[in-house]
Structure formats: C-alpha cells, structure tokens
Amino acid sequence: MKRVLVIGYVWPYHSGSGARIPGLVKHLSEFGWEPIVLTKPLPEKPDLGCQIVETGYRDVLEPWLKRFGFGRGERVADQLDRRFGLADNRSLRRAIVYFVARRIREVIDYPDPERGWKPFAVEAASALLREGDIHALVSSSPPVTSHLVARELRITYGVPWLADFPHLWSQNNSYPYSFLRRLFDRRLEKKTLRQADVLTTTSEPLAAKLRGLHKEKATYAISHGFDPATINVPPVPLTRTFSITYTGTFDPRLREPSRLFAALRNLIAQEAVDRNDIDVRFYGPHLPWVTEMIERHGLSGVVKQHNPVSLRESWERQRESQVLLVPKWEDAKEPGIHSLKIFEYLAARRPVLAVGGHPDVVDDLLAETKAGVSAPTVEAVEKAIKELYDEYKAKGQVTFRGDEATIDQYSHRGMAKRFAELLDRLAS
C-alpha cells in the first residue's frame, strides 16, 4: 500500500478545510493509500483510523496583541469598541479606527495567521520523508500555510504534490483583505503553486477560476461529501407538523430567508396552507434582523429561531424534518459555492428546498440526485411549498424521492475514491 502525507488542520478541533481531511483520510486506505495526517497540536485525540503527527506551534499573533494591549479571549473588534468608545456603528471615528486596524492586521498575519506553524510542520514532515515510503503529498487549506509547507517539501524531496482548495486563496469569494494585499497574495499563490503537480477544489466553477490563474496546472473538481455513518437508515420518525428546518446561520446580504417568508405569508393569506400545521425551525444564532423580518411578514409562531445545537443534534433535527431548507448564495458571480450543509442534508435523506439565489452548483446537485427542488423566486417557492404541503396533508408526511445510488457518490468514501485516482496518476 502506498503512503500519502496529508498536511492541514483537522476540523472541528481547528478551523480549516471543514470536514475535508477527516472524511478523506478515513476512507483512503480502501483505495490503496495509507494516509498520515500532519497537523498542529490537537485538544483531543480524534479517531481518524490513521497515524496523526502533531507538531509544535507558535502563535505569531499573540505577541502583537499583547503589544497593542489586547487579550486573546475576546474578539478584537469588541475590545476596539470598548477602548475607543465606538458605540455608534456609523461614526466616522469608528470607520477610521477599523480601517487602520484592518491594515495593520493585513501586514501582521501575512500570508495567514497560522504561519508560525510552518517551521514545525516542515521539520516533522522532513523526518517522515527521510524515512522513505511517502509516495505523495496532499495539502489542504485554509490555512494556506499548509501549501507553503508542501511546496518546501516538494522542492527538497521531489515527492509529487496535490494542492487542495476547499476555499480558494486569492480568489476566495469571502476574501477579507484589501486590493493591495490581494496583489501580494496572488503573487505568492502563483509562486507557491508553480511547484504543485495537481490542483483540486470543490466545484467546477471554482476549478475554472483556478485554471484561469494557474493555466499550466491540471485542475480538477472534487466535491465535499457526507459521512456514510450518518445516513438516516433506518429512517427516524418524522415530526407530526409540516416542519421546514434549517441548521445554520444567515447573512443579510448573501444568504437570507425573505423569499421563504413572503411565500408562506401569501399561502397563509390565500388559505392554501393552515398556519397551525406549519413549523419553520431555525437552529443557529438568534439574529435580531431575522426576528424583525418574521414579525413584518406576520409569521410569529410559525417561524421560530432556536438556539444553536451540537452537530449531532443538528443531524437529529434534520432527519425528523418533513423538509430541509437551503437559503442559496445571493451572488451571481459565485455559482460554485455549496456549503457542507447540503451534503449533511443528503445523508439525512429528506426532501431539500433550495430558496433564492442564482443558477449554481446547488441546482445541479439537486437535479442530479433528485433530492429536492430549487425555487429562485417567491412564486416558485409558493408552488414548491404548496406541492409539499398537499402531500403532507394527504399522506401525513412528505416522501423522500432522491436517487440513493447517485447520492452515495457524494459520500466521504466517494470523495476519497476520486482523490485516490488522482494520487495513483501522480505516483505512477
């Protein structure tokens, strides 16, 4: 069996490449690759079914925070507000302070806040590579420091390297820095990935963006997946109400529930649905602007914001729901974004209603798997809910009609199989 060194952070213990690394390494050995995970210190020992190498780590931000008098246990933004008396979100003074703070941060955490991990990771990886029998490298970001580590190893030891981007680097849809910082990041990205043999990301539109920047590189799309152990088999009992569930948070600009609320308000006003049957459940942070929107649409008692729940409980709420909600990404320039949520929903084996947004990979995924329907307009949402509700009234539940053979290709096992195929080509 060939061995691959996987470089990156292990979620949920550290923020990083989502569940990509745990899902990948648990199944790679089924396809002829024994993974070794290289990561920074973990607060507890996860069972990934493979060797985990934890390195030393140096926090490069902590000395700077101390120098400026900030503590590590509280958001810097909150400390800024308190120190400078920035209660008014719209004040010029607040805008100036935040502008200066962001520019300072751009310099301090270049190329990312985790750069203090690099020397420890390179040292530990070099010890493994000197022992031999490492046939390939996989680096996954964030942090982009993972790729900087892999580049140095590729140059020194000549081991084939696959660079994986669950989130893009300088082309990230949520890029947090200025235009000038992006120029530096783009230059470093091109220099770093010049040494990579293969690039991967999570969707074809994102792969196209990578190809545009790294024209000479073979680039492939390998989607996220769900843990096969979480499939809703046998199915749990469903709620007695017509429940529509979302386990996540909203963004007033990019992911919001206004079309759903307008559709429900119209259906209730037309007496097409009985408000006493409807139970819309949001599990996540309580957002005042969502509460105001609920009240404005006359949906108090129909739509409820519940407290955030654990990952395991969120799966339970998904499995028992009649319908699962996906508020789609409201940026026409980013058709390649689908969150991990949609893959959890595929494991829950419940009908998905994707609301709003523009044509994108979520539409493609639902069409391919037959796991649900996309409704971009208020009228389309009304039609979809009415059909689902009528089935609920007639049968007491909404039937899941997804193509399970196709859905199973989007499991972590299916994801690992596609990675293994690329690694086989590199190793040969």
Side-chain angles (χ1 to χ4, degrees):
M1 184 176 290
K2 299 178 288 292
R3 301 172 83 200
V4 56
L5 182 62
V6 181
I7 304 165
Y9 284 3
V10 179
W11 180 91
Y13 308 98
H14 302 301
S15 60
S17 52
R20 191 87 153 170
I21 287 178
L24 173 64
V25 301
K26 283 184 178 180
H27 298 277
L28 265 179
S29 61
E30 299 176 44
F31 305 100
W33 285 90
E34 177 190 343
I36 301 171
V37 175
L38 183 75
T39 190
K40 75 176 185 179
L42 295 166
E44 57 184 89
K45 306 300 179 187
D47 180 15
L48 301 182
C50 67
Q51 181 182 354
I52 302 173
V53 177
E54 299 176 54
T55 74
Y57 177 76
R58 181 174 64 88
D59 188 336
V60 296
L61 291 183
E62 188 167 4
W64 288 97
L65 290 172
K66 287 182 179 178
R67 185 173 300 179
F68 287 108
F70 294 111
R72 218 22 173 145
E74 184 182 5
R75 288 196 325 146
V76 172
D78 294 336
Q79 296 178 67
L80 280 172
D81 289 348
R82 188 169 58 252
R83 178 180 299 182
F84 293 98
L86 306 176
D88 185 357
N89 291 343
R90 296 166 294 181
S91 71
L92 176 61
R93 186 182 181 205
R94 188 177 199 271
I96 292 172
V97 169
Y98 270 67
F99 176 84
V100 172
R102 281 193 292 267
R103 300 296 81 79
I104 293 173
R105 180 189 168 191
E106 287 189 358
V107 175
I108 291 175
D109 68 7
Y110 178 79
D112 74 10
E114 303 301 315
R115 72 176 189 272
W117 179 53
K118 182 186 174 186
F120 299 98
V122 169
E123 181 182 5
S126 296
L128 291 168
L129 287 161
R130 284 194 294 268
E131 294 174 4
D133 294 331
I134 302 292
H135 300 86
L137 306 172
V138 171
S139 57
S140 193
S141 63
V144 298
T145 292
S146 300
H147 304 307
L148 302 179
V149 171
R151 175 183 183 271
E152 190 163 326
L153 300 174
R154 176 72 174 91
I155 292 171
T156 305
Y157 299 98
V159 180
W161 169 29
L162 184 158
D164 179 48
F165 289 89
H167 301 278
L168 300 188
W169 188 341
S170 64
Q171 299 169 298
N172 194 298
N173 63 289
S174 298
Y175 188 79
Y177 303 116
S178 67
F179 174 75
L180 181 61
R181 166 66 186 263
R182 192 191 289 265
L183 291 179
F184 280 93
D185 273 332
R186 184 156 298 190
R187 184 177 68 175
L188 180 61
E189 178 181 347
K190 294 175 78 170
K191 175 184 176 182
T192 301
L193 297 184
R194 206 169 289 139
Q195 300 295 330
D197 297 281
V198 171
L199 309 181
T200 57
T201 185
T202 58
S203 70
E204 188 53 42
L206 295 183
K209 291 178 78 170
L210 275 178
R211 292 186 195 108
L213 186 60
H214 307 283
K215 295 180 173 59
E216 75 285 3
K217 294 298 175 185
T219 304
Y220 301 90
I222 301 179
S223 73
H224 288 304
F226 60 85
D227 185 346
T230 65
I231 295 175
N232 184 17
V233 175
V236 304
L238 301 177
T239 61
R240 301 184 68 176
T241 57
F242 180 71
S243 50
I244 301 174
T245 301
Y246 174 55
T247 55
T249 190
F250 294 103
D251 182 298
R253 297 178 300 108
L254 294 173
R255 184 185 288 117
E256 50 83 25
S258 62
R259 291 181 184 85
L260 173 70
F261 291 173
L264 287 171
R265 178 194 61 203
N266 294 344
L267 289 168
I268 291 170
Q270 298 161 12
E271 298 185 350
V273 301
D274 184 343
R275 67 180 295 136
N276 296 314
D277 291 334
I278 312 293
D279 184 15
V280 180
R281 314 181 305 175
F282 298 155
Y283 292 93
H286 276 257
L287 300 171
W289 63 270
V290 173
T291 299
E292 189 276 330
M293 189 182 289
I294 292 169
E295 294 171 352
R296 190 171 70 246
H297 286 83
L299 296 175
S300 297
V302 173
V303 181
K304 306 178 188 71
Q305 292 193 83
H306 299 272
N307 291 324
V309 295
S310 67
L311 184 60
R312 186 163 299 279
E313 186 175 348
S314 74
W315 294 339
E316 294 172 1
R317 301 290 81 79
Q318 291 166 15
R319 294 170 183 174
E320 71 182 11
S321 188
Q322 300 286 349
V323 178
L324 296 173
L325 174 70
V326 173
K328 286 180 55 183
W329 197 254
E330 298 286 350
D331 185 352
K333 296 179 182 178
E334 294 291 349
I337 306 298
H338 39 30
S339 69
L340 290 170
K341 193 66 55 188
I342 190 76
F343 297 98
E344 291 179 13
Y345 286 1
L346 293 181
R349 298 295 205 258
R350 299 304 306 141
V352 176
L353 174 61
V355 172
H358 307 270
D360 64 9
V361 290
V362 171
D363 302 335
D364 299 337
L365 181 65
L366 293 180
E368 180 187 3
T369 60
K370 299 179 175 58
V373 61
S374 289
T377 65
V378 173
E379 293 76 15
V381 179
E382 284 185 43
K383 180 176 183 293
I385 291 177
K386 182 64 166 61
E387 291 176 355
L388 293 165
Y389 177 80
D390 286 347
E391 181 180 0
Y392 160 79
K393 291 299 284 185
K395 300 180 180 178
Q397 66 177 46
V398 182
T399 303
F400 178 69
R401 296 181 173 84
D403 182 335
E404 296 191 0
T406 303
I407 289 171
D408 285 343
Q409 295 176 21
Y410 288 96
S411 70
H412 287 160
R413 186 177 186 279
M415 178 181 73
K417 181 175 185 291
R418 290 189 284 276
F419 270 102
E421 290 168 352
L422 290 180
L423 291 173
D424 286 340
R425 293 185 211 172
L426 287 183
S428 65

